Amino acid sequence: MQEKDVIQQVKAGGHEQFAHLVRKYQNMVFRVCLGFVHNQEDANDLTQEVFINAFQNLHSFDGRAKFSTWLYRIAVNATLNAQRKKSRWKFFSLIDHRMGNPTQDQEWLLPPEKNDPEQTMINHQERQLIEQAIDGLPEKQRTAFVLSKYDDLPQREIAAIMNTSEGSVEQLLIRAKANLQKKLAPYYIKSDGVHRKMEADGSNN
């Protein structure tokens, strides 16, 4: 059965059919929510909220956008609304270590090494700094950045989700990256200085 037929059945009162949509999209919605809140329990709660919202408002889905795009919008709005109620929120994972190497964009999703306590501590401190930097981004920049980095969505899809143009999304991503580099530069300069000093000390031994 095609997705549009399932949606029509749900709209016609076949509420049990909505379970098909939940099974198909629950992982996608969870990833988006987790990408913003960086907490599995909160992401699970938000995922349930998104699907309740989607079910209650399915009559408003007119099919002009993809159903996944429509769900993305609900998920983004749900997470942003939840975060507005909190004094601070946490992002989901590490950004690429230097924010400038496109070949390593996926490495920032990896957990810290568990067999190196010192590196784990460094990674934890870095993660906190990165999360704080992302917290400080304007809302639209943060949304575009999360959708781009976390779900690897193309700019066209992000534009559809955010109801804007691809050019605007591109500018949001450029400004977001520039702002993050500016916020994180003092840490990395200091960190590099420490590393250089350690290397110099080591070379004298």
Side-chain angles (χ1 to χ4, degrees):
M1 184 181 297
Q2 294 187 356
E3 183 175 277
K4 63 179 182 179
D5 297 326
V6 174
I7 293 173
Q8 287 303 318
Q9 286 191 13
V10 177
K11 287 183 175 182
H15 297 166
E16 67 280 359
Q17 297 297 325
F18 191 71
H20 293 289
L21 299 175
V22 174
R23 285 194 293 270
K24 182 175 181 179
Y25 290 109
Q26 61 184 354
N27 288 336
M28 180 198 84
V29 172
F30 176 79
R31 287 197 306 270
V32 174
C33 295
L34 185 63
F36 279 94
V37 301
H38 192 52
N39 179 287
Q40 289 194 1
E41 184 176 354
D42 290 344
N44 276 321
D45 291 343
L46 284 167
T47 298
Q48 293 182 36
E49 179 182 331
V50 168
F51 280 109
I52 291 173
N53 192 332
F55 177 77
Q56 293 175 339
N57 293 280
L58 192 61
H59 62 276
S60 68
F61 175 68
D62 56 17
R64 287 184 293 180
K66 295 189 299 184
F67 184 73
S68 59
T69 298
W70 188 70
L71 269 182
Y72 268 120
R73 291 173 183 165
I74 295 176
V76 168
N77 288 333
T79 53
L80 291 177
N81 287 335
Q83 288 158 11
R84 291 187 192 109
K85 299 175 183 178
K86 296 181 179 180
S87 59
R88 66 185 302 271
W89 57 281
K90 294 183 177 180
F91 190 66
F92 67 99
S93 191
L94 290 173
I95 305 176
D96 176 46
H97 185 63
R98 284 297 182 267
M99 296 295 299
N101 188 346
T103 63
Q104 298 184 15
D105 278 349
Q106 297 304 317
E107 292 183 11
W108 66 305
L109 299 176
L110 298 176
E113 294 291 337
K114 295 182 179 180
N115 60 347
D116 187 341
E118 181 180 359
Q119 187 61 46
T120 298
M121 180 184 69
I122 293 172
N123 288 343
H124 178 70
Q125 292 173 342
E126 181 176 287
R127 182 168 60 249
Q128 287 183 320
L129 289 168
I130 291 171
E131 291 168 358
Q132 290 171 5
I134 296 173
D135 286 349
L137 288 176
E139 191 170 279
K140 289 184 178 180
Q141 290 182 27
R142 187 165 75 243
T143 299
F145 185 82
V146 169
L147 292 174
S148 174
K149 286 293 184 180
Y150 188 80
D151 247 11
D152 197 26
L153 293 180
Q155 292 183 11
R156 178 180 299 180
E157 180 72 3
I158 297 173
I161 295 167
M162 298 182 68
N163 284 315
T164 189
S165 67
E166 290 184 56
S168 295
V169 170
E170 183 177 6
Q171 289 303 310
L172 286 171
L173 292 172
I174 290 173
R175 290 197 294 269
K177 184 173 181 180
N179 283 334
L180 289 172
Q181 288 177 326
K182 182 178 179 180
K183 291 173 182 292
L184 295 171
Y187 165 75
Y188 285 124
I189 291 173
K190 180 180 178 180
S191 177
D192 287 343
V194 171
H195 291 163
R196 284 195 294 268
K197 182 178 184 302
M198 291 176 64
E199 291 171 359
D201 290 344
S203 65
N204 293 330
N205 289 336

